[in-house]
Amino acid sequence: MKMEEFNKLIEYCDEQYQNSNACNCGSNCVNNNRCKLLCTSDCYECVSHVNHFCNTIDHYNCHKMTLFYVLKHGFRFYAETALLFIDAFANYASDEVFVMSIGCGPCTELYGGLQAWRYLQKADDNFHYHGFDLNPIWKSIDDFNLSQFENSNVFIEIKDAFVHYKNSDAPIDIIILNYSLSDMFRFNKNKYGQFVNSLLDLLAKKKPQYLLINDVYTKQSVDASTMFINELNDKRLIKNNSMRRFHSYNSYIGEFGNYVSSINGINNFPNIEGIDQNIVNKYDPFHIFNGIQAVIKLKSI
């Protein structure tokens, strides 16, 4: 089952990136011309620097970086989140679902969730998605995402999700945290406890059925996810919880769920076809699952 919308997102990012004069920013570079200093020909060094676990300051601050981020990381994130949603939907009885994403960035989980929904032969009109992110750097990509779903129930906002739902009657069935817990823990560790409390308040108010976590296997991510899951356990909010780790065990990082052999997102993932081979050759996108996941069924509270 080919997902044309995701392929079009990749094609859009490729076209925009090729026309962006990447790595020739000169005096306008907001990242100290890192690519030139390291003699690279693309934006990978800037993206890699932002993602490095030692970095706690520099964040996504350049449109070209966001395009390259989707081209390099997007397919794996799309496939990873499709797997999460397929697991959640396996025991989901309704023919309508309301998904909320916190820290959505380029919204790869929108495509993963909708792909899983279609896999169950459910109607697109009954898949509702609302993504929130505070960083406006993703706006051009998210405007393109919205343009692909103009007649559907897809909303993406540069806004605080907790503020939005404080005065909203909209339901939430599934909350997904797609690489957002580690991001919050790494860049705003002093506010992480407040973030967890706000999320717990949202769970109490909206009573979603599932909470999904998809993240990288680093100490920050494992610590952040474990802290949050422990809070859920302490408040007896978990009905059942399936946790897994695709990365081989690292004693410094620690355990997280059951180890699962790596999945090749392009060749082996069910019902998801690979992206255009020319783009694969051009960017060599990551496609082997290498992180951590949790599918948490919540109690009705």
Side-chain angles (χ1 to χ4, degrees):
M1 183 185 297
K2 190 174 183 180
M3 189 170 197
E4 293 291 346
E5 295 93 344
F6 180 74
N7 288 347
K8 287 178 181 177
L9 169 64
I10 293 296
E11 290 166 3
Y12 166 80
C13 289
D14 174 50
E15 179 183 8
Q16 294 296 307
Y17 186 73
Q18 293 301 318
N19 293 332
S20 71
N21 199 26
C23 300
N24 290 289
C25 305
S27 60
N28 294 321
C29 183
V30 293
N31 291 296
N32 300 314
N33 287 288
R34 180 176 287 108
C35 56
K36 287 297 184 185
L37 291 172
L38 296 172
C39 301
T40 59
S41 58
D42 57 37
C43 292
Y44 179 68
E45 289 300 334
C46 288
V47 172
S48 180
H49 170 73
V50 170
N51 289 336
H52 197 278
F53 69 91
C54 288
N55 170 44
T56 59
I57 299 173
D58 299 323
H59 216 286
Y60 295 102
N61 58 0
C62 168
H63 175 54
K64 298 176 189 180
M65 279 172 62
T66 62
L67 296 168
F68 193 84
Y69 174 86
V70 174
L71 292 164
K72 191 70 176 178
H73 293 274
F75 187 86
R76 179 165 69 185
F77 296 168
Y78 157 56
E80 286 173 344
T81 55
L83 177 62
L84 276 174
F85 278 105
I86 284 174
D87 285 355
F89 289 155
N91 295 300
Y92 186 81
S94 177
D95 287 328
E96 187 169 31
V97 66
F98 291 82
V99 176
M100 187 265 248
S101 175
I102 302 176
C104 61
C107 301
T108 48
E109 69 282 349
L110 161 62
Y111 296 92
L114 183 55
Q115 174 71 9
W117 191 248
R118 290 173 176 174
Y119 174 65
L120 297 176
Q121 300 183 332
K122 305 277 190 175
D124 283 12
D125 288 347
N126 291 334
F127 182 89
H128 306 261
Y129 172 90
H130 206 144
F132 296 89
D133 203 293
L134 295 176
N135 190 346
I137 200 68
W138 302 104
K139 186 177 186 306
S140 64
I141 292 175
D142 287 336
D143 284 346
F144 179 80
N145 290 334
L146 288 169
S147 74
Q148 298 211 81
F149 302 100
E150 289 181 300
N151 298 319
S152 64
N153 301 307
V154 173
F155 303 92
I156 306 169
E157 298 191 75
I158 302 167
K159 187 177 183 181
D160 187 307
F162 304 123
V163 171
H164 174 85
Y165 279 102
K166 190 171 289 186
N167 299 307
S168 171
D169 294 328
I172 303 174
D173 298 311
I174 297 176
I175 295 177
I176 183 166
L177 305 170
N178 188 23
Y179 287 82
S180 55
L181 285 182
S182 60
D183 191 85
M184 170 63 70
F185 200 73
R186 189 153 51 99
F187 292 101
N188 294 285
K189 190 173 182 179
N190 61 326
K191 296 182 179 179
Y192 188 70
Q194 178 184 335
F195 171 80
V196 169
N197 288 334
S198 296
L199 190 47
L200 290 170
D201 289 344
L202 183 64
L203 296 181
K205 179 181 179 182
K206 292 297 183 180
K207 300 176 175 57
Q209 295 187 45
Y210 285 93
L211 190 141
L212 309 180
I213 296 173
N214 189 51
D215 223 310
V216 64
Y217 180 60
T218 63
K219 184 167 176 51
Q220 293 104 323
S221 174
V222 169
D223 287 350
S225 301
T226 301
M227 174 183 170
F228 179 54
I229 291 171
N230 286 342
E231 287 284 343
L232 293 174
N233 275 319
D234 289 346
K235 290 180 168 46
R236 302 178 185 275
L237 298 181
I238 298 179
K239 185 172 183 179
N240 55 64
N241 178 19
S242 173
M243 298 163 57
R244 55 192 168 224
R245 183 187 78 252
F246 297 103
H247 197 287
S248 58
Y249 175 70
N250 182 299
S251 59
Y252 173 73
I253 297 175
E255 293 281 1
F256 191 90
N258 298 317
Y259 173 68
V260 178
S261 296
S262 295
I263 293 175
N264 185 321
I266 288 179
N267 296 326
N268 297 326
F269 194 79
N271 297 295
I272 292 181
E273 289 189 6
I275 55 179
D276 184 272
Q277 191 58 45
N278 291 326
I279 295 177
V280 171
N281 294 339
K282 197 182 300 182
Y283 300 101
D284 189 23
F286 294 115
H287 54 275
I288 303 298
F289 291 14
N290 206 30
I292 60 174
Q293 294 188 329
V295 179
I296 302 170
K297 171 69 173 173
L298 298 165
K299 292 180 180 178
S300 298
I301 52 175

